[in-house]
Amino acid sequence: MKQSVSKENHIKPINFSVSRYIKYFWIGFTSILIIIILLFLLASWGALGEMPTFEQLENPRNDLATQIISSDREQLGTIFKPNENRTPINYNDLPPHLINALIATEDVRFYEHSGIDARGTLRAFTSFGRRGGASTITQQLARLLFIGIRSRNMDKYTQKIREWVIAARLERQYTKEEIIVMYLNKYDFARQAIGIGSASRIYFNKKSIDLKVEESAMLVGMLKSATIYNPKTRLEKALNRRNTVLSQMAKYGYLTVEEKDSLKQLPLKLNYTPEGYSEGKATYFRRQVKKWVEEWIKKNPKGKNEAGELEYYDIYSDGLKIHVTIDSRMQKYAEESVLQHMSNLQKEFDRQERKNTTSPFRGISKQQIDQIINHAIKTSPRRIKMLKQGKSEKEILASFDKKVDMKVFSWNGIMDTIMTPRDSVLYHKRFLHTGLMSMNPQTGAVKAWVGGINYKYFKYDHVNQGARQVGSTFKPFVYATAIDQLKYSPCYKMPRAKVTIPVGKHGVSGEDWTPTNTDDNYIGSITLKDALAGSVNTVSARLMDRIGPEPIINLAKKLGIQSEIDSVASIALGTETLKLSEMVGAYSVFANEGIYTKPVIISHIQDKNGTLLYGNFPEKRDVISKESAYVTLNLMEGVTETGSGKRLRTKASSQYIYKNVVTGHPYGFTNPIAGKTGTTQNQSDGWFMGIVPDLCTGVWVGGDNRSTHFKSTKYGAGATMALPIWALYMKKCYEDVNLNISKSEFKKPENLSIQLDCEVYEKSIKVDDELRI
C-alpha cells in the first residue's frame, strides 16, 4: 500500500522553487540597481567622460556676441565668432505662448520632474524609442552646455548617463524659469541665429517678446532640427512642423481647437533679416564701430589674471553692449534714399555707356585700363585666398581667365551668371558709388552713415576710408576765411573778370594760372552771395589771392580737416582730396556758431551685466566767431535759393528726369537750408553738402576710378548726382515727426555787425562814397 503524501509535502517543493526565483530576481534587481548606481557614481566622478565642475555649472560658458545698439534702442547688428551670434535675453523677454509651445512640444511634465522624466524614460525603453525619446528640456540643455553632439557608437549610452547626471545637477542649481532661458539662449537656430533672441530678429526682424503665436510655434518646431525644419530652405517641412507644435499646444490646453485650426491656415510669413557682417543695416558703419572698439580694447585692459598678466575684453565673446550715435530710423531713410537714387542713376549711366568703346572708362588708354584691372586682380580676395593655398602667380592669373559659375551684384538683386573672374572685375568697375554721412552739429553725434552701395561686393568705405577731390564744396572755407579776416558782407561785390596769378605766387608753378568760369561769363561784378551760389571760379580765385592759401588751410585744419592740403592757389577751386567725414565735420561748425565738435560714433560701452566701461565726452573747440559762422551760412543759403541747389525748392524736379527713367521728385523744401554743390574735373566726383540747424549731411557720388564718369555735366554734376540723395533723405526725415528735425531759421548772433540786407548795404556804400567826396 502506497504511503499517502500530505498536503504539506506537496507544497514544500513548490515554495522552494518560488523562493529560489524570487531570490534570483532580487539578486538580479539589486545587481542592476547597484550597477546603475555605480554607473551614475562613475559618471559623476568623471570616469565615463569629462563632467562639469561646480564652478562650470554655476557659470556655464557661453560666448556672447557684442551688440551694436542704436540711439533709439534698436539693435543694428552684432560682432561674433563664427556660429556664435548669441544675444542673451531674460525670462521676461519671452512671450507666454512661446513657453507654452516649448512645454507642450518638448517636455509636457517639465514642471513636475527634477531633470529626468521617469514616465517618458520608461515609455522610451518599452517602445525602443518608437514612441519618441525621453529627453527633457533640462537634459537637452545639459547636452548643449557640456556634452555636445550625440555619438553614434556605444559612447551614446555613457553620454546619456552623463546627461542624466548633469540634468539632475542643473535642476538643483537653477529654477525652472532659468533653465528655460538658458536652453533657448543656447540653441542654434541656424543661419547665424544662436539663441531665441537672434532667431527672432533674423527670421522675423522683431524682438522675441513681440513674436506671434504662429511665429513662436515655428521657432519651437525648429528645436527638433534647425536644418531639417528651416523655413529658408525647407518651407513645407517647417510649415508642417509648426502645425504639429500648434496641435500639441491644443492637445495640452494652451490653445482652443478653434484657435489651433485658425492658426494652421496661416502661411509662414518670414521677414528674413540676416546678421552676417556683409548683410543687414549699417554694414559700413558697423565695420567702423568694430575697428574703433578694437582700438579701445587695446588701450583699456579689464584687469589682471591670477598670474598677474593683463586681461583684455574679447569683442567676439564677452557680450559687450556698444551704444552708438546712429539713429536706426535715419539710417534706414539714408539707405533707402541711396537705393532709390543710385539704382536710377546707374540705369542712365549704363544707357550712355552703350556706345563707349572703352566702357566703363573714359579718356584713358587701353594700357591704363589694363593697369586698373590688373591692380584690382592683385588686391582681390580670390587671389589672396589662392596665395594662402600655395598657388603660384601663373596658376592664379590663369584662373582669372577661366569661366566659372559666380554671383555678381546688380540693382535688381544678386545675379547668378557664368563669366571669367577677370570679366567680373571689369563688370563691377562700371558701378557708380556713393557715401553719405549725417551728424548733429551741436553734439557731434553721427546719425546716419552709408559707406557704399553694397558692402558684400564693395567693401571700400566712401565715408571715412576714401578721399576724393572736393571741387566747389571747398569754396565756403575760402569765403569763411575772407569773412572772418576781412569782414566782407555777402553783399560785397567783386568783378567776374578773369584774374591771373603769376608763377611763383601762392605756389603757382609751371606757368601763370588763370582760372575760368563754367558759364564763360566775365562781364560786370557780382555779390559774394551770388558768386558762391553760382560757383563763380574767378571770384574764389580773387578772394584766395587777397588772403593767400595759408590762412585758408589754417582754417580748414581748425575745422577738423586732417588730410594733407597743399599750399597752392588752386585750392580755391577745390583741387584737394578730402574725406566725406572730414567735410561733414567741417561744415557742421557753421551750424554750431563757429564751434567745432568732433564727430562721434560711440556714445557709451557696457559689459554684459550693464556696467559702464566707457562714456563719450564731446571734444569741442572754438574755430571762428559766431558772426563769421552765421554770415557763411547766409552765403550758403543762397546756393539753395538761387544757385545750383535751387531744385530743392521746386515742387517737381523736372531736371531729374532721365531718358526712359522718369524719377521726378516733389522736393518742395521751404525751410532754411544752407548748402553747396561740388563737381570735379571730367564729372568724376559729385558732391552736395546740406545743413539745417540741427543736422549736417554730406553726400558724394562717383566711380570707383576717376575715369569712370558721365560724359557731361548734365548728369555728372553734383546737383544731379549727389543732391537728390540728400533731398530724398531729408524729406523722409521730415516726414517722420518723431525725429523732430528742425525747420527753423539758423540762430542769429546778437549785435551782428556785418550787413546781410543788400539794399541797406548798397545805401550805406553810397553814403560812404558821398562822405569820401
Side-chain angles (χ1 to χ4, degrees), residues 297-339:
I297 285 174
K298 291 177 184 177
K299 300 173 184 176
N300 296 273
K302 62 180 178 181
K304 293 184 177 180
N305 58 22
E306 295 178 356
E309 300 169 330
L310 288 175
E311 284 190 327
Y312 295 87
Y313 293 99
D314 189 332
I315 196 172
Y316 298 104
S317 60
D318 279 348
L320 299 177
K321 298 176 182 177
I322 305 171
H323 295 265
V324 297
T325 59
I326 289 287
D327 186 293
S328 68
R329 297 160 295 183
M330 296 173 74
Q331 181 68 27
K332 176 174 176 285
Y333 302 149
E335 292 180 2
E336 288 175 349
S337 300
V338 165
L339 170 62

Side-chain angles (χ1 to χ4, degrees), residues 524-596:
S525 59
I526 188 172
T527 65
L528 293 185
K529 189 167 187 176
D530 288 340
L532 185 63
S535 212
V536 180
N537 290 336
T538 53
V539 172
S540 296
R542 286 181 184 275
L543 285 174
M544 188 283 308
D545 190 29
R546 291 187 185 184
I547 56 182
E550 285 301 327
I552 300 170
I553 294 170
N554 290 337
L555 176 62
K557 292 297 182 183
K558 290 178 182 178
L559 292 171
I561 304 296
Q562 295 180 334
S563 298
E564 192 66 30
I565 302 177
D566 293 330
S567 181
V568 293
S570 61
I571 64 171
L573 308 187
T575 54
E576 295 304 307
T577 57
L578 306 176
K579 295 179 181 179
L580 177 60
S581 57
E582 294 176 319
M583 294 295 286
V584 174
Y587 267 70
S588 293
V589 172
F590 303 123
N592 195 29
E593 301 182 280
I595 300 171
Y596 172 78

Side-chain angles (χ1 to χ4, degrees), residues 341 345 348-349 352 362 432-433 468-472 647 655-656 658 677-688 699-703 706 708-724:
H341 174 67
L345 189 69
E348 177 59 28
F349 181 78
Q352 294 186 22
R362 289 182 181 273
L432 298 175
H433 298 274
R468 297 295 289 248
Q469 199 175 81
V470 293
S472 294
R647 66 180 62 187
Q655 292 170 301
Y656 189 50
Y658 299 142
T677 57
T679 307
T680 62
Q681 191 175 16
N682 295 327
Q683 305 77 240
S684 295
D685 304 274
W687 292 78
F688 183 73
V699 181
W700 166 87
V701 174
R706 298 197 77 247
T708 300
H709 56 78
F710 281 101
K711 61 183 179 181
S712 71
T713 55
K714 180 179 180 181
Y715 297 101
T720 307
M721 288 209 293
L723 179 144

Side-chain angles (χ1 to χ4, degrees), residues 42 174 186 188 213 273 301 369 434 456 563 756:
L42 288 171
Y174 298 100
K186 184 69 177 177
D188 184 352
V213 176
T273 312
I369 293 173
T434 189
K456 183 175 182 179
S563 298
L756 303 181

